[in-house]
Amino acid sequence: MSEPYQSPISPGRSWYEDSVPDRPRHPRLEGSVQADVLVVGGGFTGLSAALHLAASGVRVVLLEAARLGDGASGRNGGQFGTGHRVWPEDLEASLGLERSRRLFALAEEAKAHLHEMMATHGIDADYRPGQISLVHKRRYVDEFRRHAAILRDRYDYPHAAFMDRAETAERLGSPAYHAGVRDTGTGHLHPMKLLVGTARAAAAAGARLFEETPVRAVRREGGHIVAETPFGTVTADRALLATNGHGGGLNRQSAAHVMPIRSFIGATEPLAEPARVLPGNEAADDSRFVVRYFRKSVDGRLLFGGREAYSSSAGDIAGQIRRQIADVYPHLADVAITHAWGGSVAVTMTRMPYVAEPEPGLTTIGGFSGHGVLLSHFTGRLYAERVAGNRDRLAEFEDLRIPSFPGGTALRKPLLFLAMTWFALRDRL
Ligand SMILES: Cc1cc2nc3c(=O)[nH]c(=O)nc-3n(C[C@H](O)[C@H](O)[C@H](O)COP(=O)(O)OP(=O)(O)OC[C@H]3O[C@@H](n4cnc5c(N)ncnc54)[C@H](O)[C@@H]3O)c2cc1C
């Protein structure tokens, strides 16, 4: 029997890989290929762009360095959330109320788009409604109460409601948090099922998808863009770099604005008493800067994520995750963890996505800062709209003018490590 596949770009084998019914292989690129649009990166952003481009008759080639879904898209917490990584009231300070409202509306459209896309292409990704955001420090309680009211009153979003300590404990199955906000207008899903379904839909629409084909350089030749790989080249009129936290070497400008940080998830065995944990089957995340996020799978496992400066070995991840689970659910202190894995979350300075055109015809999209399950698919579609001649909606993101990280590419990692260590400490104080 052959060894189970292990992603060369992300540590640990995920429970998602073992529970997706089938994950088709795609060939390597061979020789020289022409396209209208080249997409680099086979995550949600790249595959969604490929799907929508191909569906509108554009000749599209997608190159993926590892296998489709080996990046963040096949390995994440599966939580949609609402709006952006930054609360809309916090965006108002820098962007004003009207722009913040437009961005919120765009994120709501992203939600509707995902549901419509899954329905159109018959993708069953185990979607379940409900999300609760938890307050880990008493001093944040009033902020969360205000946040639910602001969503309702200023953003016409009636689905989020503040929960006091007693209601939070009941819905969570644990007294570990002070309060929370329950959002019935969003939900969570199995990301690898969504990814495989999107890839299948893109291929059916005519996109040519290649795996295990790393792009080593992207250069201009005449009026075209040429991507070089170890096995051949792609020559295209335009290119989209959808490499997120994995593609630092391809474009300096993108690398200066988008930084990878590791996040880790553990999956327990199916719980003996699943109704004791999140009895309403919502997903949960908390108010820590180094956020903890968890939910149950449809077969009753607890999928628990956190992000710290762990080593990348799967054994270490399981031990750390088990300790975090026990903080919330002491009765699970000895639960068996069957899978432990990590991935790269790409963050930006402002925690808003980075969309830019560093040179004519070359677009880069990434840095969803832990909020890409909702936004990356839709942004891929907005890129296809831009290729078709409508720039306006992608421009909402492009006009955000995200600053680059201080310290350049050499110093920013140690600086980030220091910052994360400080914030992780602050979470505990
Ligand atoms: C552990 C974890 C938990 C997360 N949880 C959540 C969550 O609950 N909710 C949420 O909203 N977001 C979450 N995220 C973030 C979310 O997964 C991402 O925002 C989203 O998947 C980004 O999709 P993408 O297509 O832009 O990037 P990716 O899925 O990372 O895809 C980029 C792809 O580009 C490929 N690539 C890179 N360089 C090259 C090259 N030179 N040539 C060819 N291919 C290349 C990579 O191999 C990779 O497959 C999480 C991320 C992680 C890692």
Side-chain angles (χ1 to χ4, degrees):
M1 215 172 82
S2 62
E3 286 287 302
Y5 172 77
Q6 168 58 55
S7 162
I9 60 168
S10 306
R13 185 171 168 83
S14 78
W15 172 75
Y16 299 128
E17 290 168 87
D18 282 343
S19 55
V20 71
D22 77 283
R23 189 182 176 197
R25 288 236 176 222
H26 299 270
R28 281 189 174 148
L29 177 73
E30 262 180 50
S32 305
V33 170
Q34 313 281 324
D36 299 323
V37 178
L38 161 71
V39 176
V40 185
F44 291 150
T45 308
L47 285 168
S48 167
L51 164 62
H52 291 94
L53 287 164
S56 58
V58 174
R59 287 181 314 152
V60 56
V61 167
L62 181 147
L63 302 179
E64 163 55 47
R67 288 190 66 191
L68 304 176
D70 272 2
S73 298
R75 305 169 73 81
N76 58 58
Q79 306 200 12
F80 279 27
T82 284
H84 297 267
R85 181 73 180 84
V86 185
W87 282 355
E89 58 268 40
D90 296 334
L91 288 176
E92 285 172 23
S94 53
L95 302 176
L97 179 60
E98 277 323 301
R99 269 182 87 189
S100 179
R101 284 173 64 104
R102 283 208 306 274
L103 283 163
F104 189 84
L106 218 49
E108 278 300 284
E109 219 184 307
K111 242 184 228 173
H113 161 74
L114 262 175
H115 287 297
E116 190 191 305
M117 205 273 307
M118 289 192 282
T120 305
H121 297 286
I123 301 172
D124 179 359
D126 301 343
Y127 178 79
R128 276 177 163 180
Q131 162 99 31
I132 59 183
S133 295
L134 300 158
V135 181
H136 84 292
K137 287 243 169 81
R138 197 186 306 277
R139 66 173 185 268
Y140 299 148
V141 169
D142 284 343
E143 257 176 65
F144 272 63
R145 194 194 311 271
R146 247 190 334 268
H147 175 58
I150 288 172
L151 287 182
R152 185 189 61 225
D153 299 339
R154 293 219 286 268
Y155 291 86
D156 303 323
Y157 188 78
H159 311 292
F162 177 76
M163 301 186 296
D164 63 13
R165 185 160 202 152
E167 184 182 351
T168 303
E170 195 178 319
R171 293 198 183 278
L172 187 62
S174 159
Y177 288 89
H178 296 282
V181 167
R182 177 167 173 245
D183 184 346
T184 54
T186 190
H188 53 105
L189 48 59
H190 186 306
M192 188 61 101
K193 288 188 180 176
L194 174 60
L195 185 119
V196 168
T198 310
R200 195 168 276 133
R208 283 181 294 166
L209 312 177
F210 296 98
E211 290 183 325
E212 298 180 271
T213 306
V215 174
R216 290 194 170 150
V218 174
R219 61 181 164 79
R220 299 201 80 88
E221 202 173 276
H224 297 290
I225 293 177
V226 179
E228 291 171 3
T229 82
F231 319 112
T233 57
V234 177
T235 304
D237 298 334
R238 292 166 167 269
L240 168 64
L241 301 183
T243 53
N244 206 35
H246 298 278
L250 284 184
N251 182 267
R252 285 173 69 87
Q253 184 177 321
S254 176
H257 289 82
V258 174
M259 169 143 58
I261 56 176
R262 287 288 200 201
S263 187
F264 298 93
I265 301 181
T268 69
E269 62 188 348
L271 300 176
E273 299 173 285
R276 286 180 72 180
V277 170
L278 290 163
N281 294 320
E282 292 101 338
D285 67 348
D286 77 9
S287 52
R288 286 179 170 82
F289 183 86
V290 183
V291 66
R292 295 180 182 181
Y293 50 96
F294 47 100
R295 65 193 185 97
K296 280 186 307 190
S297 61
V298 287
D299 67 349
R301 293 163 194 272
L302 179 60
L303 309 180
F304 197 104
R307 183 190 303 155
E308 297 220 14
Y310 310 135
S311 97
S312 58
S313 98
D316 293 343
I317 300 169
Q320 296 269 3
I321 293 288
R322 193 183 290 102
R323 277 193 284 284
Q324 295 191 354
I325 290 176
D327 286 347
V328 188
Y329 300 110
H331 72 282
L332 296 179
D334 297 318
V335 71
I337 292 188
T338 59
H339 296 73
W341 67 94
S344 275
V345 180
V347 299
T348 64
M349 278 286 282
T350 62
R351 303 295 187 264
M352 293 297 282
Y354 179 66
V355 176
E357 194 165 312
E359 48 184 275
L362 183 71
T363 302
T364 170
I365 297 178
F368 294 99
S369 305
H371 210 72
V373 172
L374 180 62
L375 296 175
S376 57
H377 250 270
F378 186 61
T379 318
R381 175 178 137 191
L382 296 187
Y383 173 74
E385 276 183 14
R386 165 173 288 195
V387 171
N390 175 3
R391 183 185 175 275
D392 295 355
R393 295 196 317 156
L394 195 61
E396 286 286 354
F397 291 114
E398 198 170 349
D399 293 346
L400 287 171
R401 306 261 174 262
I402 310 278
S404 58
F405 279 96
T409 41
L411 271 181
R412 65 193 186 142
K413 275 207 174 137
L415 283 175
L416 180 83
F417 180 80
L418 280 177
M420 293 297 286
T421 308
W422 159 243
F423 282 118
L425 185 68
R426 214 180 61 163
D427 280 340
R428 287 189 206 105
L429 292 176

